[in-house]
Amino acid sequence: HLLISNQPFEWVITDETKTIQNFICYKAYYIETIDLGDEVKTNTHTVWFTPDLPFSYGPGDYYGLPGVILEANNMLGKYTYGASKIELNIENSKLESNIRKLQEISKEMTLDEFMEM
């Protein structure tokens, strides 16, 4: 199963990477067109997400990618969000149960396979 719904942006995923909080992250972006009537402006939203945390979460309206967004910015960095600490509570039985449920109904694939879909 592949469930992607309610995406705020149509992300373009690149193969550019960097490490954030010891996770390999991939760069994705979306160019928003803003029609002001007398002129049209664009705003590029740039995020870095890690498929190592395979959950579609991020700050604010930044979600919809195959991994947790650990850094995001827009308007040339005027607004920037970033993860300052990541703690995985592996003792939490509910989390373990949810991950197991996801694994049971999900098809595991590499990022390259995902990009070819």
PDB file of all heavy atoms in Angstrom, residues 32-69:
ATOM      1  N   GLU A  32       6.260  27.972  -5.041  1.00  0.00           N
ATOM      2  CA  GLU A  32       4.899  28.496  -4.919  1.00  0.00           C
ATOM      3  C   GLU A  32       4.775  29.751  -5.786  1.00  0.00           C
ATOM      4  O   GLU A  32       5.629  30.633  -5.738  1.00  0.00           O
ATOM      5  CB  GLU A  32       4.637  28.836  -3.453  1.00  0.00           C
ATOM      6  CG  GLU A  32       3.320  29.485  -3.175  1.00  0.00           C
ATOM      7  CD  GLU A  32       3.188  29.903  -1.716  1.00  0.00           C
ATOM      8  OE1 GLU A  32       4.211  30.031  -1.010  1.00  0.00           O
ATOM      9  OE2 GLU A  32       2.051  30.105  -1.294  1.00  0.00           O
ATOM     10  N   THR A  33       3.720  29.830  -6.570  1.00  0.00           N
ATOM     11  CA  THR A  33       3.444  31.021  -7.377  1.00  0.00           C
ATOM     12  C   THR A  33       2.398  31.858  -6.647  1.00  0.00           C
ATOM     13  O   THR A  33       1.335  31.350  -6.281  1.00  0.00           O
ATOM     14  CB  THR A  33       2.922  30.618  -8.771  1.00  0.00           C
ATOM     15  OG1 THR A  33       3.903  29.785  -9.396  1.00  0.00           O
ATOM     16  CG2 THR A  33       2.673  31.844  -9.639  1.00  0.00           C
ATOM     17  N   ILE A  34       2.730  33.118  -6.422  1.00  0.00           N
ATOM     18  CA  ILE A  34       1.841  34.013  -5.694  1.00  0.00           C
ATOM     19  C   ILE A  34       1.386  35.112  -6.647  1.00  0.00           C
ATOM     20  O   ILE A  34       2.182  35.934  -7.100  1.00  0.00           O
ATOM     21  CB  ILE A  34       2.565  34.635  -4.478  1.00  0.00           C
ATOM     22  CG1 ILE A  34       3.139  33.526  -3.589  1.00  0.00           C
ATOM     23  CG2 ILE A  34       1.624  35.545  -3.692  1.00  0.00           C
ATOM     24  CD1 ILE A  34       4.186  33.993  -2.612  1.00  0.00           C
ATOM     25  N   ASP A  35       0.091  35.112  -6.960  1.00  0.00           N
ATOM     26  CA  ASP A  35      -0.477  36.108  -7.877  1.00  0.00           C
ATOM     27  C   ASP A  35      -0.960  37.303  -7.067  1.00  0.00           C
ATOM     28  O   ASP A  35      -1.929  37.209  -6.313  1.00  0.00           O
ATOM     29  CB  ASP A  35      -1.636  35.479  -8.663  1.00  0.00           C
ATOM     30  CG  ASP A  35      -2.150  36.393  -9.775  1.00  0.00           C
ATOM     31  OD1 ASP A  35      -1.770  37.588  -9.805  1.00  0.00           O
ATOM     32  OD2 ASP A  35      -2.930  35.909 -10.607  1.00  0.00           O
ATOM     33  N   LEU A  36      -0.271  38.415  -7.216  1.00  0.00           N
ATOM     34  CA  LEU A  36      -0.622  39.624  -6.468  1.00  0.00           C
ATOM     35  C   LEU A  36      -1.484  40.576  -7.297  1.00  0.00           C
ATOM     36  O   LEU A  36      -1.666  41.732  -6.929  1.00  0.00           O
ATOM     37  CB  LEU A  36       0.657  40.347  -6.008  1.00  0.00           C
ATOM     38  CG  LEU A  36       1.575  39.526  -5.100  1.00  0.00           C
ATOM     39  CD1 LEU A  36       2.879  40.262  -4.855  1.00  0.00           C
ATOM     40  CD2 LEU A  36       0.891  39.226  -3.777  1.00  0.00           C
ATOM     41  N   GLY A  37      -1.997  40.106  -8.409  1.00  0.00           N
ATOM     42  CA  GLY A  37      -2.832  40.954  -9.264  1.00  0.00           C
ATOM     43  C   GLY A  37      -2.003  41.708 -10.279  1.00  0.00           C
ATOM     44  O   GLY A  37      -2.033  41.407 -11.460  1.00  0.00           O
ATOM     45  N   ASP A  38      -1.232  42.683  -9.807  1.00  0.00           N
ATOM     46  CA  ASP A  38      -0.407  43.463 -10.722  1.00  0.00           C
ATOM     47  C   ASP A  38       0.946  42.823 -10.984  1.00  0.00           C
ATOM     48  O   ASP A  38       1.668  43.228 -11.889  1.00  0.00           O
ATOM     49  CB  ASP A  38      -0.228  44.902 -10.208  1.00  0.00           C
ATOM     50  CG  ASP A  38       0.351  44.962  -8.800  1.00  0.00           C
ATOM     51  OD1 ASP A  38       0.283  43.936  -8.095  1.00  0.00           O
ATOM     52  OD2 ASP A  38       0.862  46.026  -8.407  1.00  0.00           O
ATOM     53  N   GLU A  39       1.319  41.840 -10.185  1.00  0.00           N
ATOM     54  CA  GLU A  39       2.575  41.109 -10.408  1.00  0.00           C
ATOM     55  C   GLU A  39       2.453  39.702  -9.845  1.00  0.00           C
ATOM     56  O   GLU A  39       1.604  39.422  -9.006  1.00  0.00           O
ATOM     57  CB  GLU A  39       3.766  41.853  -9.785  1.00  0.00           C
ATOM     58  CG  GLU A  39       3.742  41.918  -8.275  1.00  0.00           C
ATOM     59  CD  GLU A  39       4.998  42.561  -7.691  1.00  0.00           C
ATOM     60  OE1 GLU A  39       6.106  42.188  -8.121  1.00  0.00           O
ATOM     61  OE2 GLU A  39       4.854  43.407  -6.799  1.00  0.00           O
ATOM     62  N   VAL A  40       3.329  38.830 -10.347  1.00  0.00           N
ATOM     63  CA  VAL A  40       3.359  37.443  -9.872  1.00  0.00           C
ATOM     64  C   VAL A  40       4.736  37.203  -9.259  1.00  0.00           C
ATOM     65  O   VAL A  40       5.766  37.489  -9.872  1.00  0.00           O
ATOM     66  CB  VAL A  40       3.103  36.451 -11.032  1.00  0.00           C
ATOM     67  CG1 VAL A  40       3.257  35.016 -10.545  1.00  0.00           C
ATOM     68  CG2 VAL A  40       1.712  36.662 -11.616  1.00  0.00           C
ATOM     69  N   LYS A  41       4.742  36.717  -8.026  1.00  0.00           N
ATOM     70  CA  LYS A  41       5.996  36.411  -7.345  1.00  0.00           C
ATOM     71  C   LYS A  41       6.083  34.910  -7.107  1.00  0.00           C
ATOM     72  O   LYS A  41       5.073  34.202  -7.151  1.00  0.00           O
ATOM     73  CB  LYS A  41       6.073  37.147  -6.003  1.00  0.00           C
ATOM     74  CG  LYS A  41       6.251  38.643  -6.118  1.00  0.00           C
ATOM     75  CD  LYS A  41       6.546  39.249  -4.768  1.00  0.00           C
ATOM     76  CE  LYS A  41       6.896  40.728  -4.946  1.00  0.00           C
ATOM     77  NZ  LYS A  41       7.286  41.340  -3.680  1.00  0.00           N
ATOM     78  N   THR A  42       7.289  34.440  -6.841  1.00  0.00           N
ATOM     79  CA  THR A  42       7.466  33.033  -6.490  1.00  0.00           C
ATOM     80  C   THR A  42       8.157  32.946  -5.136  1.00  0.00           C
ATOM     81  O   THR A  42       8.911  33.832  -4.747  1.00  0.00           O
ATOM     82  CB  THR A  42       8.303  32.274  -7.540  1.00  0.00           C
ATOM     83  OG1 THR A  42       9.584  32.872  -7.643  1.00  0.00           O
ATOM     84  CG2 THR A  42       7.611  32.249  -8.889  1.00  0.00           C
ATOM     85  N   ASN A  43       7.866  31.877  -4.436  1.00  0.00           N
ATOM     86  CA  ASN A  43       8.472  31.605  -3.143  1.00  0.00           C
ATOM     87  C   ASN A  43       8.889  30.138  -3.154  1.00  0.00           C
ATOM     88  O   ASN A  43       8.062  29.255  -3.340  1.00  0.00           O
ATOM     89  CB  ASN A  43       7.460  31.880  -2.021  1.00  0.00           C
ATOM     90  CG  ASN A  43       8.018  31.579  -0.649  1.00  0.00           C
ATOM     91  OD1 ASN A  43       9.217  31.478  -0.454  1.00  0.00           O
ATOM     92  ND2 ASN A  43       7.129  31.411   0.321  1.00  0.00           N
ATOM     93  N   THR A  44      10.173  29.899  -2.988  1.00  0.00           N
ATOM     94  CA  THR A  44      10.664  28.522  -2.977  1.00  0.00           C
ATOM     95  C   THR A  44      10.691  27.988  -1.552  1.00  0.00           C
ATOM     96  O   THR A  44      11.314  28.585  -0.671  1.00  0.00           O
ATOM     97  CB  THR A  44      12.076  28.436  -3.593  1.00  0.00           C
ATOM     98  OG1 THR A  44      12.019  28.927  -4.928  1.00  0.00           O
ATOM     99  CG2 THR A  44      12.583  27.004  -3.609  1.00  0.00           C
ATOM    100  N   HIS A  45       9.999  26.886  -1.337  1.00  0.00           N
ATOM    101  CA  HIS A  45       9.997  26.196  -0.048  1.00  0.00           C
ATOM    102  C   HIS A  45      10.986  25.039  -0.168  1.00  0.00           C
ATOM    103  O   HIS A  45      10.831  24.182  -1.035  1.00  0.00           O
ATOM    104  CB  HIS A  45       8.604  25.645   0.265  1.00  0.00           C
ATOM    105  CG  HIS A  45       7.548  26.699   0.350  1.00  0.00           C
ATOM    106  ND1 HIS A  45       7.143  27.263   1.530  1.00  0.00           N
ATOM    107  CD2 HIS A  45       6.805  27.303  -0.619  1.00  0.00           C
ATOM    108  CE1 HIS A  45       6.204  28.157   1.301  1.00  0.00           C
ATOM    109  NE2 HIS A  45       5.976  28.197   0.001  1.00  0.00           N
ATOM    110  N   THR A  46      12.004  25.014   0.681  1.00  0.00           N
ATOM    111  CA  THR A  46      13.030  23.978   0.641  1.00  0.00           C
ATOM    112  C   THR A  46      13.004  23.202   1.954  1.00  0.00           C
ATOM    113  O   THR A  46      12.953  23.808   3.031  1.00  0.00           O
ATOM    114  CB  THR A  46      14.425  24.591   0.445  1.00  0.00           C
ATOM    115  OG1 THR A  46      14.421  25.370  -0.752  1.00  0.00           O
ATOM    116  CG2 THR A  46      15.492  23.521   0.329  1.00  0.00           C
ATOM    117  N   VAL A  47      13.016  21.882   1.858  1.00  0.00           N
ATOM    118  CA  VAL A  47      13.030  21.042   3.055  1.00  0.00           C
ATOM    119  C   VAL A  47      14.083  19.952   2.918  1.00  0.00           C
ATOM    120  O   VAL A  47      14.515  19.618   1.811  1.00  0.00           O
ATOM    121  CB  VAL A  47      11.651  20.390   3.324  1.00  0.00           C
ATOM    122  CG1 VAL A  47      10.571  21.443   3.557  1.00  0.00           C
ATOM    123  CG2 VAL A  47      11.248  19.450   2.204  1.00  0.00           C
ATOM    124  N   TRP A  48      14.497  19.419   4.055  1.00  0.00           N
ATOM    125  CA  TRP A  48      15.401  18.274   4.126  1.00  0.00           C
ATOM    126  C   TRP A  48      14.695  17.210   4.952  1.00  0.00           C
ATOM    127  O   TRP A  48      14.309  17.454   6.088  1.00  0.00           O
ATOM    128  CB  TRP A  48      16.725  18.667   4.783  1.00  0.00           C
ATOM    129  CG  TRP A  48      17.489  19.659   3.972  1.00  0.00           C
ATOM    130  CD1 TRP A  48      17.353  21.016   4.011  1.00  0.00           C
ATOM    131  CD2 TRP A  48      18.482  19.383   2.994  1.00  0.00           C
ATOM    132  NE1 TRP A  48      18.216  21.592   3.109  1.00  0.00           N
ATOM    133  CE2 TRP A  48      18.922  20.625   2.477  1.00  0.00           C
ATOM    134  CE3 TRP A  48      19.052  18.207   2.505  1.00  0.00           C
ATOM    135  CZ2 TRP A  48      19.894  20.714   1.493  1.00  0.00           C
ATOM    136  CZ3 TRP A  48      20.031  18.303   1.526  1.00  0.00           C
ATOM    137  CH2 TRP A  48      20.443  19.541   1.031  1.00  0.00           C
ATOM    138  N   PHE A  49      14.476  16.031   4.354  1.00  0.00           N
ATOM    139  CA  PHE A  49      13.751  14.955   5.037  1.00  0.00           C
ATOM    140  C   PHE A  49      14.596  13.692   5.072  1.00  0.00           C
ATOM    141  O   PHE A  49      15.480  13.490   4.239  1.00  0.00           O
ATOM    142  CB  PHE A  49      12.407  14.675   4.349  1.00  0.00           C
ATOM    143  CG  PHE A  49      12.537  13.974   3.022  1.00  0.00           C
ATOM    144  CD1 PHE A  49      12.421  12.596   2.938  1.00  0.00           C
ATOM    145  CD2 PHE A  49      12.789  14.686   1.864  1.00  0.00           C
ATOM    146  CE1 PHE A  49      12.563  11.938   1.721  1.00  0.00           C
ATOM    147  CE2 PHE A  49      12.931  14.046   0.642  1.00  0.00           C
ATOM    148  CZ  PHE A  49      12.813  12.669   0.570  1.00  0.00           C
ATOM    149  N   THR A  50      14.324  12.846   6.052  1.00  0.00           N
ATOM    150  CA  THR A  50      15.048  11.579   6.151  1.00  0.00           C
ATOM    151  C   THR A  50      14.104  10.393   5.997  1.00  0.00           C
ATOM    152  O   THR A  50      13.149  10.254   6.756  1.00  0.00           O
ATOM    153  CB  THR A  50      15.828  11.451   7.480  1.00  0.00           C
ATOM    154  OG1 THR A  50      16.469  10.166   7.509  1.00  0.00           O
ATOM    155  CG2 THR A  50      14.950  11.608   8.710  1.00  0.00           C
ATOM    156  N   PRO A  51      14.358   9.535   5.004  1.00  0.00           N
ATOM    157  CA  PRO A  51      13.560   8.313   4.863  1.00  0.00           C
ATOM    158  C   PRO A  51      13.845   7.300   5.969  1.00  0.00           C
ATOM    159  O   PRO A  51      13.125   6.320   6.107  1.00  0.00           O
ATOM    160  CB  PRO A  51      13.969   7.760   3.494  1.00  0.00           C
ATOM    161  CG  PRO A  51      15.007   8.645   2.939  1.00  0.00           C
ATOM    162  CD  PRO A  51      15.304   9.724   3.922  1.00  0.00           C
ATOM    163  N   ASP A  52      14.902   7.545   6.779  1.00  0.00           N
ATOM    164  CA  ASP A  52      15.199   6.645   7.897  1.00  0.00           C
ATOM    165  C   ASP A  52      14.117   6.703   8.973  1.00  0.00           C
ATOM    166  O   ASP A  52      13.995   5.792   9.788  1.00  0.00           O
ATOM    167  CB  ASP A  52      16.559   6.973   8.523  1.00  0.00           C
ATOM    168  CG  ASP A  52      17.712   6.660   7.575  1.00  0.00           C
ATOM    169  OD1 ASP A  52      17.524   5.807   6.680  1.00  0.00           O
ATOM    170  OD2 ASP A  52      18.783   7.263   7.720  1.00  0.00           O
ATOM    171  N   LEU A  53      13.365   7.804   8.996  1.00  0.00           N
ATOM    172  CA  LEU A  53      12.179   7.930   9.858  1.00  0.00           C
ATOM    173  C   LEU A  53      11.000   7.999   8.894  1.00  0.00           C
ATOM    174  O   LEU A  53      10.626   9.076   8.436  1.00  0.00           O
ATOM    175  CB  LEU A  53      12.264   9.190  10.718  1.00  0.00           C
ATOM    176  CG  LEU A  53      13.447   9.270  11.689  1.00  0.00           C
ATOM    177  CD1 LEU A  53      13.520  10.639  12.340  1.00  0.00           C
ATOM    178  CD2 LEU A  53      13.348   8.176  12.743  1.00  0.00           C
ATOM    179  N   PRO A  54      10.432   6.854   8.529  1.00  0.00           N
ATOM    180  CA  PRO A  54       9.475   6.790   7.413  1.00  0.00           C
ATOM    181  C   PRO A  54       8.062   7.267   7.760  1.00  0.00           C
ATOM    182  O   PRO A  54       7.082   6.555   7.581  1.00  0.00           O
ATOM    183  CB  PRO A  54       9.498   5.311   7.041  1.00  0.00           C
ATOM    184  CG  PRO A  54       9.765   4.623   8.338  1.00  0.00           C
ATOM    185  CD  PRO A  54      10.693   5.535   9.102  1.00  0.00           C
ATOM    186  N   PHE A  55       7.976   8.473   8.284  1.00  0.00           N
ATOM    187  CA  PHE A  55       6.688   9.051   8.648  1.00  0.00           C
ATOM    188  C   PHE A  55       6.568  10.408   7.979  1.00  0.00           C
ATOM    189  O   PHE A  55       7.523  11.163   7.923  1.00  0.00           O
ATOM    190  CB  PHE A  55       6.562   9.191  10.171  1.00  0.00           C
ATOM    191  CG  PHE A  55       6.887   7.915  10.897  1.00  0.00           C
ATOM    192  CD1 PHE A  55       8.119   7.757  11.523  1.00  0.00           C
ATOM    193  CD2 PHE A  55       5.987   6.868  10.918  1.00  0.00           C
ATOM    194  CE1 PHE A  55       8.434   6.579  12.171  1.00  0.00           C
ATOM    195  CE2 PHE A  55       6.295   5.677  11.569  1.00  0.00           C
ATOM    196  CZ  PHE A  55       7.523   5.533  12.196  1.00  0.00           C
ATOM    197  N   SER A  56       5.396  10.728   7.489  1.00  0.00           N
ATOM    198  CA  SER A  56       5.188  11.935   6.687  1.00  0.00           C
ATOM    199  C   SER A  56       4.874  13.147   7.567  1.00  0.00           C
ATOM    200  O   SER A  56       3.777  13.686   7.518  1.00  0.00           O
ATOM    201  CB  SER A  56       4.063  11.686   5.679  1.00  0.00           C
ATOM    202  OG  SER A  56       3.914  12.817   4.858  1.00  0.00           O
ATOM    203  N   TYR A  57       5.845  13.537   8.388  1.00  0.00           N
ATOM    204  CA  TYR A  57       5.642  14.650   9.307  1.00  0.00           C
ATOM    205  C   TYR A  57       6.653  15.755   9.070  1.00  0.00           C
ATOM    206  O   TYR A  57       7.752  15.522   8.558  1.00  0.00           O
ATOM    207  CB  TYR A  57       5.778  14.192  10.766  1.00  0.00           C
ATOM    208  CG  TYR A  57       4.762  13.181  11.196  1.00  0.00           C
ATOM    209  CD1 TYR A  57       5.159  11.933  11.660  1.00  0.00           C
ATOM    210  CD2 TYR A  57       3.400  13.460  11.154  1.00  0.00           C
ATOM    211  CE1 TYR A  57       4.223  10.994  12.070  1.00  0.00           C
ATOM    212  CE2 TYR A  57       2.460  12.520  11.550  1.00  0.00           C
ATOM    213  CZ  TYR A  57       2.885  11.297  12.011  1.00  0.00           C
ATOM    214  OH  TYR A  57       1.963  10.366  12.411  1.00  0.00           O
ATOM    215  N   GLY A  58       6.284  16.943   9.514  1.00  0.00           N
ATOM    216  CA  GLY A  58       7.177  18.090   9.474  1.00  0.00           C
ATOM    217  C   GLY A  58       6.498  19.271  10.134  1.00  0.00           C
ATOM    218  O   GLY A  58       5.348  19.180  10.555  1.00  0.00           O
ATOM    219  N   PRO A  59       7.201  20.388  10.221  1.00  0.00           N
ATOM    220  CA  PRO A  59       6.618  21.560  10.877  1.00  0.00           C
ATOM    221  C   PRO A  59       5.558  22.246  10.008  1.00  0.00           C
ATOM    222  O   PRO A  59       5.712  22.355   8.796  1.00  0.00           O
ATOM    223  CB  PRO A  59       7.827  22.477  11.088  1.00  0.00           C
ATOM    224  CG  PRO A  59       8.787  22.088  10.010  1.00  0.00           C
ATOM    225  CD  PRO A  59       8.573  20.618   9.789  1.00  0.00           C
ATOM    226  N   GLY A  60       4.476  22.676  10.628  1.00  0.00           N
ATOM    227  CA  GLY A  60       3.436  23.433   9.921  1.00  0.00           C
ATOM    228  C   GLY A  60       2.856  22.678   8.745  1.00  0.00           C
ATOM    229  O   GLY A  60       2.460  21.525   8.858  1.00  0.00           O
ATOM    230  N   ASP A  61       2.840  23.343   7.585  1.00  0.00           N
ATOM    231  CA  ASP A  61       2.300  22.743   6.364  1.00  0.00           C
ATOM    232  C   ASP A  61       3.327  21.901   5.620  1.00  0.00           C
ATOM    233  O   ASP A  61       3.082  21.464   4.505  1.00  0.00           O
ATOM    234  CB  ASP A  61       1.795  23.830   5.411  1.00  0.00           C
ATOM    235  CG  ASP A  61       0.460  24.401   5.866  1.00  0.00           C
ATOM    236  OD1 ASP A  61      -0.252  23.725   6.621  1.00  0.00           O
ATOM    237  OD2 ASP A  61       0.146  25.530   5.463  1.00  0.00           O
ATOM    238  N   TYR A  62       4.487  21.712   6.212  1.00  0.00           N
ATOM    239  CA  TYR A  62       5.531  20.931   5.549  1.00  0.00           C
ATOM    240  C   TYR A  62       5.384  19.454   5.920  1.00  0.00           C
ATOM    241  O   TYR A  62       5.799  19.019   6.992  1.00  0.00           O
ATOM    242  CB  TYR A  62       6.918  21.443   5.932  1.00  0.00           C
ATOM    243  CG  TYR A  62       7.181  22.848   5.464  1.00  0.00           C
ATOM    244  CD1 TYR A  62       7.444  23.866   6.359  1.00  0.00           C
ATOM    245  CD2 TYR A  62       7.176  23.154   4.112  1.00  0.00           C
ATOM    246  CE1 TYR A  62       7.690  25.158   5.917  1.00  0.00           C
ATOM    247  CE2 TYR A  62       7.414  24.441   3.661  1.00  0.00           C
ATOM    248  CZ  TYR A  62       7.665  25.433   4.567  1.00  0.00           C
ATOM    249  OH  TYR A  62       7.907  26.697   4.129  1.00  0.00           O
ATOM    250  N   TYR A  63       4.774  18.703   5.028  1.00  0.00           N
ATOM    251  CA  TYR A  63       4.635  17.258   5.185  1.00  0.00           C
ATOM    252  C   TYR A  63       4.325  16.695   3.803  1.00  0.00           C
ATOM    253  O   TYR A  63       4.329  17.414   2.816  1.00  0.00           O
ATOM    254  CB  TYR A  63       3.544  16.893   6.209  1.00  0.00           C
ATOM    255  CG  TYR A  63       2.168  17.422   5.874  1.00  0.00           C
ATOM    256  CD1 TYR A  63       1.296  16.686   5.085  1.00  0.00           C
ATOM    257  CD2 TYR A  63       1.751  18.666   6.337  1.00  0.00           C
ATOM    258  CE1 TYR A  63       0.035  17.168   4.759  1.00  0.00           C
ATOM    259  CE2 TYR A  63       0.493  19.158   6.025  1.00  0.00           C
ATOM    260  CZ  TYR A  63      -0.360  18.406   5.242  1.00  0.00           C
ATOM    261  OH  TYR A  63      -1.593  18.897   4.920  1.00  0.00           O
ATOM    262  N   GLY A  64       4.092  15.404   3.738  1.00  0.00           N
ATOM    263  CA  GLY A  64       3.748  14.802   2.455  1.00  0.00           C
ATOM    264  C   GLY A  64       4.924  14.182   1.731  1.00  0.00           C
ATOM    265  O   GLY A  64       4.833  13.885   0.556  1.00  0.00           O
ATOM    266  N   LEU A  65       6.025  13.996   2.445  1.00  0.00           N
ATOM    267  CA  LEU A  65       7.209  13.364   1.863  1.00  0.00           C
ATOM    268  C   LEU A  65       7.415  11.989   2.503  1.00  0.00           C
ATOM    269  O   LEU A  65       6.878  11.722   3.578  1.00  0.00           O
ATOM    270  CB  LEU A  65       8.439  14.246   2.087  1.00  0.00           C
ATOM    271  CG  LEU A  65       8.490  15.469   1.172  1.00  0.00           C
ATOM    272  CD1 LEU A  65       9.391  16.545   1.739  1.00  0.00           C
ATOM    273  CD2 LEU A  65       8.933  15.069  -0.214  1.00  0.00           C
ATOM    274  N   PRO A  66       8.204  11.114   1.877  1.00  0.00           N
ATOM    275  CA  PRO A  66       8.406   9.769   2.437  1.00  0.00           C
ATOM    276  C   PRO A  66       9.427   9.751   3.569  1.00  0.00           C
ATOM    277  O   PRO A  66      10.382   8.991   3.562  1.00  0.00           O
ATOM    278  CB  PRO A  66       8.875   8.957   1.223  1.00  0.00           C
ATOM    279  CG  PRO A  66       9.586   9.951   0.374  1.00  0.00           C
ATOM    280  CD  PRO A  66       8.830  11.248   0.548  1.00  0.00           C
ATOM    281  N   GLY A  67       9.238  10.626   4.544  1.00  0.00           N
ATOM    282  CA  GLY A  67      10.143  10.704   5.689  1.00  0.00           C
ATOM    283  C   GLY A  67       9.899  11.967   6.483  1.00  0.00           C
ATOM    284  O   GLY A  67       9.226  12.895   6.022  1.00  0.00           O
ATOM    285  N   VAL A  68      10.438  11.994   7.693  1.00  0.00           N
ATOM    286  CA  VAL A  68      10.275  13.147   8.573  1.00  0.00           C
ATOM    287  C   VAL A  68      11.145  14.302   8.075  1.00  0.00           C
ATOM    288  O   VAL A  68      12.320  14.122   7.743  1.00  0.00           O
ATOM    289  CB  VAL A  68      10.644  12.788  10.028  1.00  0.00           C
ATOM    290  CG1 VAL A  68      10.648  14.022  10.924  1.00  0.00           C
ATOM    291  CG2 VAL A  68       9.682  11.744  10.579  1.00  0.00           C
ATOM    292  N   ILE A  69      10.544  15.494   8.026  1.00  0.00           N
ATOM    293  CA  ILE A  69      11.265  16.707   7.625  1.00  0.00           C
ATOM    294  C   ILE A  69      12.002  17.244   8.847  1.00  0.00           C
ATOM    295  O   ILE A  69      11.386  17.559   9.871  1.00  0.00           O
ATOM    296  CB  ILE A  69      10.294  17.753   7.058  1.00  0.00           C
ATOM    297  CG1 ILE A  69       9.665  17.231   5.769  1.00  0.00           C
ATOM    298  CG2 ILE A  69      11.014  19.087   6.827  1.00  0.00           C
ATOM    299  CD1 ILE A  69       8.510  18.066   5.248  1.00  0.00           C
TER     300      ILE A  69
END
